[in-house]
Amino acid sequence: MALLEVEDLCIDYKTKNGYLKAVDGVSFSLERGASLGFVGESGCGKTTIGMGLMGMLPPNGVVRRGRILFEGEDLLRVSAEEMRRVRWRKIAMIFQAAMNALNPVQRVGEQVAEAMLVHNPSLGKEKALKAVEELFELVGLQTDRIRDYPHQYSGGMKQRAIIAMSLACRPSLIIADEPTTALDVIVQDQILAEIRALQKEFNIGIIFISHDISIVADMCHDIGIMYAGQLVEYGPREDVFDSPAHPYTRALLSSFPTLTGKRTDLVPIAGETPDLVHPPEGCRFYDRCQEQIPACREKVSRWVAISPGHKALCCRCEMDGR
């Protein structure tokens, strides 16, 4: 049984103009100890998937349909109190902006200990803080900084503290939402190396959410390409990056520089993403696609198997018989 199975997940945001389809029909799975990366432009639905898995959607967020099977249990069918027991103890999150995720007027060590005490009140504050010391050592933070406030930490230290917090209850799944945002490349490399080592040591499943293709290419076993609320390509890392099938995936890779491949001019993706309150009938990438055919405008795209485990949501691939 997979650690996580998401089936036909649809999440809308209620706006003054109607319901915005932020996530539409997304399905994927994750094995224990494996990693899955979601890549795409801002607003494509990556973070909404993460917040939906955590049960932390904003008040105007609505799960329209779907199932989130975590260790065999549908999290969309459990009560709010049951979800509180799952959150952080079994599923944790490394938030995108560490500065915003930490309480500025509470000592960092106490914030990390809080997650332990919420799920295990009998532990006691003294033992919890002792456990925080072990977590700080695990993520490369000096234990004498436990009583410091967030403003006394550098950006890399804040990110390490958030990672320590995510590990506080030894969860089975961690959702890492842009875990290296605003960090310099040296600190980024250190943070990613620590995440990789911790994943291996504790056999944690990880979902990476990032704009940075190089991060997910380095860290993830499987890749999901998101566009306008839909998962448009999904498969093993090597298949998706070496043999991209969806025109958006190819366009995305062409717009990103490479250090090791052939030196070529970057090709920007012209145009804007579609209105997700009133999404197009056919392919959502149609107006920006350089490989469009007339049928793409009206025909609903279907999943096409490219190779074992590798598939694309593309009308053109279907007609070409790929």
Side-chain angles (χ1 to χ4, degrees):
M1 181 178 65
L3 173 66
L4 176 71
E5 292 182 88
V6 174
E7 301 174 358
D8 195 27
L9 183 63
C10 298
I11 301 175
D12 296 350
Y13 289 123
K14 187 177 182 180
T15 71
K16 62 180 180 180
N17 296 320
Y19 283 93
L20 184 147
K21 298 169 180 61
V23 175
D24 198 3
V26 169
S27 300
F28 61 90
S29 64
L30 179 69
E31 298 296 329
R32 193 177 298 274
S35 53
L36 166 65
F38 286 114
V39 184
E41 297 170 76
S42 295
C44 69
K46 306 184 301 295
T47 296
T48 296
I49 290 175
M51 299 304 277
L53 294 177
M54 290 288 289
M56 294 174 61
L57 291 171
N60 66 328
V62 180
V63 178
R64 183 158 36 96
R65 70 170 185 267
R67 296 204 301 168
I68 300 175
L69 298 174
F70 178 73
E71 296 181 338
E73 182 177 26
D74 190 353
L75 298 183
L76 296 180
R77 301 290 180 266
V78 302
S79 67
E81 183 56 36
E82 289 172 321
M83 191 64 207
R84 278 174 60 87
R85 289 196 288 269
V86 170
R87 193 183 300 123
W88 229 260
R89 187 168 64 88
K90 293 186 176 182
I91 305 176
M93 192 165 190
I94 301 172
F95 292 98
Q96 185 170 148
M99 175 59 80
N100 299 331
L102 292 168
N103 186 336
V105 297
Q106 186 179 13
R107 299 182 194 277
V108 175
E110 293 176 355
Q111 296 185 54
V112 178
E114 184 178 17
M116 302 180 198
L117 293 171
V118 165
H119 289 286
N120 187 11
S122 63
L123 182 64
K125 187 174 182 179
E126 185 177 342
K127 288 185 178 179
L129 289 174
K130 183 65 178 175
V132 172
E133 288 185 12
E134 296 174 2
L135 286 171
F136 269 42
E137 291 175 351
L138 201 61
V139 300
L141 286 173
Q142 295 179 338
T143 57
D144 60 1
R145 305 300 297 270
I146 284 178
R147 291 184 57 79
D148 286 355
Y149 290 92
H151 72 271
Q152 296 173 286
Y153 280 31
S154 67
M157 291 172 69
K158 291 189 187 81
Q159 202 63 52
R160 285 184 171 90
I162 292 296
I163 294 171
M165 191 181 296
S166 72
L167 292 168
C169 298
R170 295 290 192 267
S172 304
L173 171 64
I174 291 179
I175 301 163
D177 188 3
E178 300 281 4
T180 58
T181 296
L183 301 178
D184 64 68
V185 291
I186 295 175
V187 177
Q188 278 189 26
D189 185 62
Q190 293 171 349
I191 294 293
L192 293 174
E194 287 168 6
I195 292 174
R196 187 186 291 112
L198 292 167
Q199 178 185 22
K200 185 176 181 180
E201 181 174 352
F202 298 112
N203 199 32
I204 300 169
I206 297 185
I207 294 177
F208 279 90
I209 296 169
S210 182
H211 296 92
D212 193 331
I213 294 173
S214 63
I215 288 178
V216 296
D218 183 46
M219 298 293 293
C220 299
H221 302 100
D222 294 321
I223 305 296
I225 306 295
M226 296 284 298
Y227 183 76
Q230 294 181 324
L231 191 60
V232 297
E233 188 159 354
Y234 181 79
R237 170 182 56 198
E238 293 79 8
D239 291 349
V240 172
F241 287 140
D242 294 345
S243 304
H246 197 284
Y248 176 66
T249 307
R250 289 196 287 273
L252 198 63
L253 293 174
S254 297
S255 67
F256 195 83
T258 176
L259 295 176
T260 57
K262 183 180 178 181
R263 186 176 297 180
T264 59
D265 291 334
L266 300 182
V267 182
I269 304 175
E272 301 289 338
T273 54
D275 175 13
L276 294 185
V277 175
H278 304 290
E281 290 284 335
C283 177
R284 295 186 182 182
F285 189 56
Y286 178 84
D287 290 334
R288 306 173 73 187
C289 183
Q290 299 298 310
E291 304 173 40
Q292 59 178 247
I293 54 176
C296 298
R297 179 180 288 277
E298 297 179 356
K299 185 176 180 180
V300 177
S301 301
R302 299 180 184 277
W303 283 107
V304 179
I306 309 301
S307 61
H310 181 199
K311 59 183 181 178
L313 188 70
C314 179
C315 176
R316 182 66 184 264
C317 289
E318 185 181 2
M319 296 186 71
D320 288 348
R322 295 183 65 169

